[in-house]
Amino acid sequence: MDVIIQRINGLWHLIVGSCQIRTPFLETQHRSLVVAYARQVYPGAKIHERD
């Protein structure tokens, strides 16, 4: 499974397949927090970042 991390409208979002999931993290917070969150929610997924 691939999970894409993207900044949209000032928040970090996870994109899984065709679903876009808003995270509780602001764009100004570190990407490592979002990666840790994504690994907790989707264990074993490949994490990618898109600008």
Side-chain angles (χ1 to χ4, degrees):
M1 175 186 320
D2 291 337
V3 175
I4 299 171
I5 298 172
Q6 187 173 12
R7 296 178 206 169
I8 303 171
N9 296 330
L11 293 173
W12 287 98
H13 287 73
L14 302 179
I15 300 173
V16 182
S18 62
C19 297
Q20 182 176 330
I21 304 163
R22 184 175 45 184
T23 66
F25 302 105
L26 296 174
E27 181 179 345
T28 56
Q29 292 177 298
H30 290 285
R31 176 174 118 27
S32 60
L33 290 173
V34 182
V35 170
Y37 176 78
R39 289 185 189 209
Q40 181 181 4
V41 175
Y42 298 103
K46 293 179 184 177
I47 311 287
H48 305 281
E49 184 177 358
R50 188 182 340 176
D51 289 330

